Amino acid sequence: MHAVEVEQLNVSYFENIALEKLSVRFMSGQLVGIIGPNGAGKSTFIKAIMGLIPAEATTIRLLGQSTKEARTKVAYVPQRSAIDWDFPIRVLDAVLIGCYPQLGLFKRPTKQHRALAIACLERVGMQDYADRQIGELSGGQQQRVFLARALAQEAELLLLDEPFVGVDAGSERVIIDLLRTLRNEGKTIVVVHHDLSKAADYFDTLLLLNRRVISIGPPTDVLQPHIIEGAYGNPLAFLQKAEVSS
Ligand code: ADP
Ligand code: MG
């Protein structure tokens, strides 16, 4: 089964073509990395398959269903820069939002829901922060809370856009270990990532994008100097300190 199936995806922002004739499939149960230079269309790809921006495609299937049908089983964590961190919400409540598919919007969370949310915070090592405001946390702690929310949602497919940007090394370890555990439990995790030096270690499959599919496959196949040079204009791009992506 494919967790993500996209055929002939085109996305434009006015006259600017962001993605062109993009066709990709991700097997379920894999940890997939999406790499590519700044402005390559990585975030656009995630937003398009989530149905958050207008897109044209012959097929977009998530978990074998339309995006709308699959929505409750898909968790999406946008890029840090796209999140309003000043929004006043407690950590526990941010995680409880993950329970809403089971809960329905107008029912109050029960004791069991709270217990589930706490258990999810424990899995990411954030149980002691349940009563804090999300804006008071460090970048790494905030990402962990979003992961806890995805756990509470019992999502089958996780789409994470640059989850390691602005995250300390300790949190990065916690997050990647958890993503591996989830993958081993059969979930599919798609991560937009710009640090090529870690890409081989982190991912089962890599998609190298630059408006189109440049390469897709096992990291050793994709991270070839001539392929990287074709996409980044520099065969040693993976040695460079990554830019902070827009
Ligand atoms: P990446 O995530 O790979 O850095 P994006 O998907 O954010 O790339 O952007 C792809 C291209 O689309 C870039 O040229 C970017 O400038 C453009 N773009 C992205 N979002 C918008 C928008 N809201 N309006 C206009 N152009 C956009
Ligand atoms: Mg981006």
Side-chain angles (χ1 to χ4, degrees):
M1 220 266 278
H2 291 106
V4 175
E5 197 180 348
V6 173
E7 301 280 349
Q8 298 288 319
L9 172 65
N10 295 301
V11 182
S12 298
Y13 298 101
F14 302 98
E15 74 281 7
N16 179 8
I17 297 170
L19 294 173
E20 201 174 5
K21 296 187 187 139
L22 198 104
S23 297
V24 289
R25 289 171 174 189
F26 301 149
M27 296 285 288
S28 28
Q30 289 214 326
L31 195 39
V32 180
I34 301 182
I35 57 172
N38 216 7
K42 304 180 296 295
S43 298
T44 297
F45 172 74
I46 301 285
K47 288 182 212 164
I49 66 173
M50 283 300 289
L52 299 172
I53 53 172
E56 176 194 287
T58 55
T59 307
I60 298 179
R61 307 286 283 175
L62 304 181
L63 303 165
Q65 295 180 301
S66 72
T67 299
K68 211 171 168 188
E69 290 163 337
R71 184 153 305 231
T72 61
K73 289 174 278 177
V74 182
Y76 163 61
V77 181
Q79 270 178 241
R80 273 191 68 73
S81 56
I83 297 171
D84 175 10
W85 294 105
D86 296 325
F87 187 81
I89 184 168
R90 253 189 347 152
V91 165
L92 184 66
D93 295 324
V95 178
L96 276 168
I97 290 172
C99 302
Y100 282 3
Q102 298 104 292
L103 203 60
L105 257 183
F106 303 105
K107 296 210 189 80
R108 294 183 62 82
T110 62
K111 262 199 177 123
Q112 283 99 314
H113 290 115
R114 279 175 210 285
L116 171 68
I118 296 280
C120 294
L121 281 171
E122 278 169 4
R123 277 192 83 179
V124 299
M126 288 296 293
Q127 66 279 12
D128 294 342
Y129 296 81
D131 291 323
R132 295 282 198 89
Q133 291 290 314
I134 195 113
E136 295 171 23
L137 306 181
S138 72
Q141 292 169 332
Q142 288 168 340
Q143 280 297 340
R144 284 150 78 161
V145 171
F146 274 95
L147 268 180
R149 173 156 95 185
L151 293 174
Q153 190 187 333
E154 294 175 339
E156 291 295 315
L157 171 63
L158 281 76
L159 306 171
L160 311 175
D161 198 345
E162 307 253 19
F164 303 119
V165 169
V167 163
D168 59 284
S171 283
E172 180 161 339
R173 275 259 61 89
V174 171
I175 293 167
I176 194 69
D177 286 347
L178 180 66
L179 296 182
R180 285 180 170 140
T181 305
L182 293 171
R183 184 265 322 269
N184 295 343
E185 290 170 4
K187 309 212 187 295
T188 309
I189 300 141
V190 178
V191 180
V192 174
H193 190 62
H194 67 236
D195 184 355
L196 295 186
S197 69
K198 303 237 179 83
D201 177 33
Y202 283 1
F203 302 110
D204 304 316
T205 296
L206 280 181
L207 166 62
L208 172 57
L209 268 190
N210 198 4
R211 214 208 272 193
R212 297 161 171 267
V213 175
I214 306 297
S215 180
I216 183 167
T220 43
D221 292 358
V222 174
L223 295 171
Q224 298 281 342
H226 68 279
I227 296 176
I228 295 299
E229 181 171 20
Y232 288 81
N234 175 358
L236 300 178
F238 59 91
L239 295 177
Q240 290 174 341
K241 196 94 194 102
E243 76 285 9
V244 174
S245 201
S246 57

